[in-house]
């Protein structure tokens, strides 16, 4: 995240562990499971957000509905920070419906087509997916390996299975990547 941005933070206690919400005003910049891979360093120094901050109200409403088994539409403004290519990947992930999965390769193909690139950049797309700063709302947990294996969820594979199961996806046939 860019250092010139000023973030406010709050914690949401989810059934899968505490989550850090970061934003400012109406804009949500980040949502992470506390302690996950790529958890933002220095976040302990961000100021606490007022309980009625618009980004917090929107995130809490979305998370409450999501963990109640609904498939809500996020009503706030998403402002993940990244390169234009990362932004394109994250936009593509927003199109993956609940209880469905896609692959890193499929995302890369769709992004290449969107950007008018002749070939998909699968590695770059995989990196962008792994660096998704807004967990759950930008649903990187719905992305699998080409062979259908569970790969690289920053919040942990157990959480990935739990999230997909909560959405109604049968995960019994999915295998963990070794």
């Amino acid at each position: 995240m860019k250092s010139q941005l000023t973030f406010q933070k709050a914690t949401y206690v989810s059934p899968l562990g505490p989550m850090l919400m970061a934003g400012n005003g109406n804009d949500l910049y980040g949502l992470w499971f506390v302690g996950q891979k790529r958890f933002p360093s220095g976040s302990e120094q961000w100021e606490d957000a007022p309980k009625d901050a618009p980004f917090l109200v929107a995130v809490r409403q979305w998370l409450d509905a999501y963990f109640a088994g609904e498939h809500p539409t996020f009503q706030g403004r998403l402002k993940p920070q990244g390169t234009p290519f990362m932004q394109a990947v994250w936009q593509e992930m927003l199109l993956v419906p609940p209880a469905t999965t896609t692959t890193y390769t499929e995302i890369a193909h769709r992004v290449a087509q969107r950007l008018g690139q002749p070939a998909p950049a699968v590695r770059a797309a995989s990196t962008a997916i792994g660096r998704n700063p807004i967990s759950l709302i930008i649903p990187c947990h719905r992305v699998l390996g080409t062979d259908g294996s569970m790969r690289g969820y920053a919040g942990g594979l157990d959480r990935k299975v739990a999230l997909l199961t909560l959405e109604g996806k049968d995960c019994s046939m999915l295998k963990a990547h070794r």
Side-chain angles (χ1 to χ4, degrees), residues 58-123:
V59 176
R60 283 188 185 118
Q61 287 174 347
W62 191 92
L63 289 170
D64 288 346
Y66 180 82
F67 283 115
E70 298 172 24
H71 303 299
T73 299
F74 186 65
Q75 298 301 316
R77 291 194 314 220
L78 301 175
K79 295 286 185 169
Q81 300 299 291
T83 66
F85 181 81
M86 292 171 123
Q87 297 285 339
V89 170
W90 298 332
Q91 285 297 313
E92 198 59 46
M93 284 192 299
L94 285 168
L95 302 175
V96 181
T100 62
T101 56
T102 188
T103 67
Y104 294 93
T105 302
E106 289 169 353
I107 292 283
H109 278 281
R110 290 195 298 260
V111 169
Q113 185 176 36
R114 176 189 292 215
L115 299 177
Q117 297 174 338
V122 178
R123 245 177 237 240

Side-chain angles (χ1 to χ4, degrees), residues 121-161:
V122 178
R123 245 177 237 240
S126 297
T127 297
I129 293 165
R131 296 191 184 284
N132 171 22
I134 302 179
S135 292
L136 305 184
I137 296 171
I138 299 177
C140 54
H141 61 281
R142 297 179 189 149
V143 183
L144 304 175
T146 302
D147 62 356
S149 64
M150 298 284 220
R151 293 179 180 257
Y153 184 62
L157 292 182
D158 289 344
R159 281 191 182 125
K160 186 171 192 164
V161 170

Side-chain angles (χ1 to χ4, degrees), residues 7 19 34 43 46-47 49 57 95-96 106 111 114 147 152 172:
F7 296 110
M19 300 185 79
V34 172
S43 60
W46 298 342
E47 69 180 64
V57 172
L95 302 175
V96 181
E106 289 169 353
V111 169
R114 176 189 292 215
D147 62 356
S172 62

Side-chain angles (χ1 to χ4, degrees), residues 8-43:
Q8 297 176 322
K9 67 177 178 181
T11 301
Y12 179 89
V13 180
S14 85
L16 299 177
M19 300 185 79
L20 177 69
M21 303 174 286
N24 195 320
N26 293 314
D27 302 330
L28 176 64
Y29 288 90
L31 178 64
W32 306 267
F33 284 103
V34 172
Q36 75 172 50
K37 290 180 189 172
R38 288 177 279 296
F39 189 77
S41 62
S43 60

